[in-house]
Amino acid sequence: MYAPDPLADVTRLDVRKVTVPEIRARKGGRPLAMVTAYDYTMARLVDEGGADLVLVGDSLGMVVQGLPNTLTVTVDEICYHGRAVARGLRRAHLVGDMPFMSFQVSAEDALRNAGKMLKEGGFESVKLEGGAEVENHVARIVAAGIPVMGHIGLTPQRVHAMGGFKVQGKREDDAERLVRDAQCLEEAGCFALVIEAVPADLAARITDAVSIPTIGIGAGVDCDGQVLVCYDFLGMFRGLRPKFVKRYAELGDAIVETTRRYVDEVGERTFPAPEHSFGRGPAAVKKTA
Ligand code: KIV
């Protein structure tokens, strides 16, 4: 059961969380920066780095669990990672991804699972994939007071239907459908919208067509914000390297190199050095008098 943690307690005076109305107000203003995180240590670091939103994405299936896609991720797994991330955030707004089959079956099911994610995962909003077909489900969740972020374009939970992780909306009829999907999601009450892997001019068109902020990933520079998977922009993920990922660092190489140094020092008995070891101190001096 989720136990509120002092570090994640938004009523603390020294904690100033980014709120949903503030995110909405950033439409057309300074772009929002969203990143994923899956654990406490990473959450603390990206929060300190100034991320406005942190997403516990179902991408955890691929980058944390090493699976080929996101389909097997469960609500309980998202909640487990959510609790850890929530403890690390002081400012960033925390979004939880609704996994495959946690919201598609019925609006009631969607609401039940979204509620569970707030109660047990420590999330402040949920994100779900899909367009007009999930409109009623979004509306039902929003009516219960749970903020919802939409996600259109490349929706990885449809990887098999899409024939792989492919750019969407290249044909004009698909582009028009995506614009209509975005408008439906706004109408249903979404407070923001992820647009993934669509041509930049289409993302700009969608951004103009809605009054909620769009957050792009592989969707060009004209969105109202950007999102990247933490292990991608930090250069740690060794798997798929989509074109839209900018690797701001090569921490993966740094980790391999640093681990080699550690392994060598252990082998050579140069670690631990005296400064990393405990002596017995004054207690070791035998009292004679
Ligand atoms: O699961 C995820 O990390 C996502 C982002 C890439 C938007 O949905």
Side-chain angles (χ1 to χ4, degrees), residues 203-219:
R205 193 166 139 198
I206 295 170
T207 299
D208 280 347
V210 294
S211 60
I212 52 175
T214 57
I215 302 179
I217 174 162

Side-chain angles (χ1 to χ4, degrees), residues 45-269:
L45 294 172
V46 296
D47 191 73
E48 203 178 317
D52 299 303
L53 300 99
V54 169
L55 168 70
V56 175
D58 62 357
S59 51
L60 74 85
M62 297 171 78
V63 299
V64 176
Q65 298 174 336
L67 295 164
N69 57 51
T70 61
L71 299 182
T72 55
V73 174
T74 65
V75 172
D76 285 335
E77 287 169 347
I78 292 282
C79 287
Y80 169 84
H81 289 275
R83 289 192 291 278
V85 171
R87 291 183 202 111
L89 300 185
R90 303 179 74 75
R91 176 182 172 274
H93 175 85
L94 179 57
V95 190
D97 226 355
M98 296 198 73
F100 181 56
M101 283 299 128
S102 70
F103 62 90
Q104 288 94 339
V105 176
S106 68
E108 284 65 36
D109 214 29
L111 175 57
R112 197 174 304 111
N113 282 317
K116 180 178 162 103
M117 286 172 59
L118 264 68
K119 287 167 82 85
E120 298 182 21
F123 294 107
E124 293 152 347
S125 65
V126 297
K127 173 172 88 57
L128 56 83
E129 296 180 10
E133 74 283 2
V134 294
E135 193 181 359
N136 294 340
H137 301 195
V138 169
R140 190 69 193 272
I141 300 171
V142 171
I146 300 173
V148 179
M149 178 179 285
H151 182 158
I152 59 170
L154 197 178
T155 44
Q157 292 175 13
R158 286 160 197 255
V159 59
H160 297 311
M162 290 178 166
F165 299 107
K166 294 185 174 156
V167 176
Q168 302 295 306
K170 285 186 171 175
R171 286 195 349 227
E172 185 50 27
D173 55 342
D174 288 335
E176 278 167 17
R177 181 183 44 79
L178 285 170
V179 173
R180 280 197 307 277
D181 281 343
Q183 289 168 331
C184 277
L185 291 168
E186 175 178 15
E187 187 75 14
C190 281
F191 74 98
L193 182 61
V194 167
I195 306 176
E196 178 164 353
V198 305
D201 65 323
L202 173 58
R205 193 166 139 198
I206 295 170
T207 299
D208 280 347
V210 294
S211 60
I212 52 175
T214 57
I215 302 179
I217 174 162
V221 77
D222 290 320
C223 294
D224 300 300
Q226 299 292 329
V227 54
L228 283 177
V229 167
C230 61
Y231 297 132
D232 284 342
F233 82 87
L234 294 171
M236 291 167 72
F237 189 57
R238 298 301 219 210
L240 203 70
R241 284 177 78 157
K243 170 187 162 87
F244 57 74
V245 169
K246 177 171 175 182
R247 290 164 80 97
Y248 283 82
E250 289 297 340
L251 298 193
D253 291 345
I255 290 170
V256 172
E257 187 46 42
T258 309
T259 307
R260 276 199 190 114
R261 274 178 45 213
Y262 165 71
V263 169
D264 286 349
E265 290 194 5
V266 169
E268 291 158 2
R269 293 189 190 279

